[in-house]
Amino acid sequence: MSRNVTLMFTVLCFAVSGLLGQDQERKLAFFLPGLYGPGITLADPTAAGAPSHRAHFLQSSQESLRQFNTSLISQLTALPLPSPASGFTYVVDPSLGTLTRSAQSFGPILAERAETIGKNRVNVGFSYQHFGFDSIEGRDLDSIPSVFRHEDVPGVDLPLEQDLVTTTSNIDFSVDEFIVFVTYGIADRLDLSVALPIVRSDLSVQSTAHVERVGSGVDSDIHRFENGGATENWSTVGSASGIGDILLRAKATAIRWEDGGFAIAADVRLPTGDEENLLGSGAFGLKPFAVLSLKYGIFSPHVNVGYQWNGDSLIAGDIMAGVEGDLPDQFLYTGGVDVGVHPRVTLAFDILGQRVIDSQRITWTTLTVGDQSYPDFALRSGSFNLTNGAVGIKLNPVGQLLVDFSVIFAIDDAGLRDDATPLIGVSYAF
C-alpha cells in the first residue's frame, strides 16, 4: 500500500510542478478589452478642411471587447468537474458488525451517488483535465468578427461617418486543471470532501483590423492607421498558474434501501483563485443538490439535481473599471449509469446538463451599410442550456487503487465550448 501511495504522490508532484512552471505578470482578463491599448488609434487626417478623427473609433472598440470578454470568461464557472467521492463505498453489516462493499460498481466519474465511503475511511487522489476551447455560441474562436462604427461628429453630417473598422480576432484559450481531493467518512452516512484545484490558464489573441472606407471613398486617407495604411495587426499572449477556487462538499445519505439510496449534499466554493488571471470565479458559491442512485445487478443508474448560487465577481462586471457584476446562477442536472462489467472494471456514462440563468450572451449578427455586409456580434441577456456527454472507465489494478479515464464531449454549441475534454484521475482508499 505504501508503495502505491508513494507513487501516486510522486506523479502528483511532477504534474503540479509542470502546471506551475511558467507564469505571466500581466493579468489575462485584461487581454481582450485592452487589446488595442486605449482604443484603435487612427492617424490625423491630411485632407484639407477635414475635421480631426483621431479617436473616433475609441469608445465602441473598448465597449465591444469588454462585453465580449465578460461573456467569454464568466462562463468558466460552468465547466464540469470530477467528483471527489471515492469509488469504494461501504455499509455496516449488522450480522458481523464490520464494513462491507455496498456495490460492485466503482460509481460515476463526473457525478455523485448516494452511497458514502464509510465511517473513519479516507479517500485521497487527484485528477487532471485539459480544456482547449474551440468555439463560443457556435462560432470558432479563431475567427471572431467585430465592427467598430464611426462616432458621430456633432453638428455636421459627413459621408466619412459611414466608414467602419472591421476586425477579425483569433482567440486561443486553454485551461489545465489539476485537482487534489480528500474525502473522509465522519459517520456511516456522512462524508466530507475537500478539492484543491491547481489551475493554469493560457490565452493568446491575434487581431487584424481594416478600415472600410464606405463613405470617404477608397482613395481617401482621412481614416488610416498610424502605420500609414488601411490595415493593422495587434497581438498579445500570456499564461498564469496558481490555486483555483477551493471546493468543500458534505454529503449525507438520507434514505438507504437494498437496491438504492437517496442523499442530500452541498458544495461551498471559496473564491481563492485569482479571477484577474482567469484562475477562479472571484465569487463565493453555494450549491445544494440531491442524489438518487439505484442498483440493478451490474447496472447502477444515478441522478443529480442541484442549484448553484453565485455572488458578485469582477469577471461578470466591468473588469477595466473595477466594477463587480452578478455571476449567473445555474440549475444543474446529471443523469447516467455506471456498469460494473468486472469486479475491477466499471464503465461510466453520463449526460451533464446546465441551465445558466440570466447570463450575458453573444449573438452573431451582420451589419449592412449600403450594398456591403460585415459580420459582427451583439450582446443580449437571457438563460440558456449547456449539454455535455461523458464516457469513462474506472480500473482497480490493485488493492484500493483506482485509475479513471474519461472524455467529456459537447452535445450542443451554446456558450463557451470545448469539443472534447480528456480527464485522467488516480485515487486510493484507506
Side-chain angles (χ1 to χ4, degrees):
M1 181 180 73
S2 61
R3 181 179 301 175
N4 292 329
V5 175
T6 301
L7 176 61
M8 182 178 70
F9 280 99
T10 299
V11 174
L12 184 152
C13 291
F14 275 109
V16 170
S17 64
L19 283 176
L20 298 178
Q22 293 183 347
D23 205 352
Q24 177 89 6
E25 289 187 4
R26 188 179 179 192
K27 301 290 188 177
L28 302 188
F30 294 89
F31 275 21
L32 273 170
L35 179 62
Y36 306 120
I40 291 181
T41 301
L42 301 180
D44 287 326
T46 58
S52 175
H53 291 67
R54 187 171 180 80
H56 278 195
F57 295 88
L58 172 63
Q59 183 178 354
S60 59
S61 65
Q62 285 180 317
E63 181 64 14
S64 295
L65 286 181
R66 184 194 68 77
Q67 291 179 329
F68 188 95
N69 189 67
T70 298
S71 181
L72 178 75
I73 63 182
S74 65
Q75 294 181 38
L76 292 179
T77 57
L79 300 182
L81 300 176
S83 168
S86 171
F88 295 94
T89 57
Y90 295 85
V91 296
V92 176
D93 187 332
S95 62
L96 301 175
T98 59
L99 292 173
T100 60
R101 285 281 305 276
S102 61
Q104 175 173 305
S105 165
F106 296 121
I109 297 175
L110 292 155
E112 276 283 1
R113 57 179 171 175
E115 294 90 347
T116 53
I117 68 174
K119 184 177 181 180
N120 295 328
R121 296 192 65 88
V122 179
N123 183 67
V124 297
F126 62 91
S127 63
Y128 168 74
Q129 287 179 282
H130 173 76
F131 297 88
F133 298 105
D134 300 294
S135 64
I136 186 166
E137 301 292 355
R139 189 177 186 95
D140 289 346
L141 285 174
D142 61 3
S143 58
I144 300 299
S146 59
V147 178
F148 303 146
R149 297 162 179 81
H150 195 289
E151 294 179 11
D152 182 57
V153 179
V156 294
D157 184 14
L158 300 172
L160 57 84
E161 291 181 324
Q162 299 180 47
D163 285 3
L164 308 169
V165 174
T166 59
T167 71
T168 302
S169 299
N170 181 349
I171 302 172
D172 188 356
F173 183 32
S174 65
V175 174
D176 293 279
E177 191 159 50
F178 191 99
I179 301 176
V180 184
F181 57 84
V182 178
T183 300
Y184 176 64
I186 65 173
D188 180 43
R189 295 192 179 199
L190 178 62
D191 289 348
L192 294 180
S193 302
V194 178
L196 171 65
I198 308 297
V199 182
R200 178 186 173 94
S201 294
D202 292 272
L203 177 63
S204 68
V205 185
Q206 297 179 336
S207 185
T208 298
H210 184 73
V211 177
E212 305 289 346
R213 293 168 174 150
V214 179
S216 62
V218 295
D219 297 326
S220 170
D221 64 351
I222 290 178
H223 291 141
R224 68 184 190 278
F225 295 105
E226 292 192 323
N227 62 10
T231 301
E232 182 63 280
N233 298 300
W234 284 267
S235 66
T236 185
V237 60
S239 63
S241 55
I243 294 175
D245 288 349
I246 294 174
L247 180 72
L248 309 176
R249 173 173 294 176
K251 182 180 71 172
T253 303
I255 306 172
R256 188 163 59 197
W257 60 94
E258 182 178 356
D259 296 323
F262 176 78
I264 55 175
D267 287 349
V268 175
R269 188 189 66 240
L270 305 178
T272 49
D274 182 358
E275 60 184 314
E276 293 185 355
N277 263 324
L278 308 186
L279 303 179
S281 65
F284 177 86
L286 175 64
K287 184 184 79 172
F289 63 101
V291 182
L292 174 67
S293 57
L294 304 170
K295 289 180 287 186
Y296 301 100
I298 65 172
F299 297 95
S300 298
H302 53 267
V303 176
N304 295 184
V305 179
Y307 192 91
Q308 174 75 53
W309 278 284
N310 294 310
D312 292 341
S313 168
L314 280 176
I315 63 174
D318 185 348
I319 197 166
M320 298 296 287
V323 177
E324 293 186 341
D326 183 29
L327 200 64
D329 294 344
Q330 300 166 33
F331 174 69
L332 302 105
Y333 46 96
T334 299
V337 60
D338 40 280
V339 186
V341 296
H342 184 273
R344 293 186 180 271
V345 181
T346 293
L347 301 180
F349 307 89
D350 277 300
I351 297 295
L352 312 170
Q354 296 166 310
R355 177 73 172 173
V356 183
I357 310 298
D358 293 332
S359 175
Q360 192 174 69
R361 297 190 65 185
I362 294 168
T363 301
W364 304 113
T365 62
T366 299
L367 174 66
T368 301
V369 180
D371 59 355
Q372 295 292 322
S373 295
Y374 305 94
D376 196 7
F377 72 88
L379 278 294
R380 62 184 175 90
S381 295
S383 301
F384 64 97
N385 294 322
L386 292 167
T387 308
N388 293 296
V391 295
I393 185 171
K394 285 190 171 186
L395 305 174
N396 174 217
V398 63
Q400 302 290 296
L401 181 68
L402 282 180
V403 181
D404 308 339
F405 302 94
S406 74
V407 175
I408 305 169
F409 54 91
I411 293 179
D412 56 29
D413 59 7
L416 179 64
R417 306 316 300 262
D418 181 9
D419 292 340
T421 302
L423 178 149
I424 182 171
V426 177
S427 64
Y428 200 93
F430 299 89

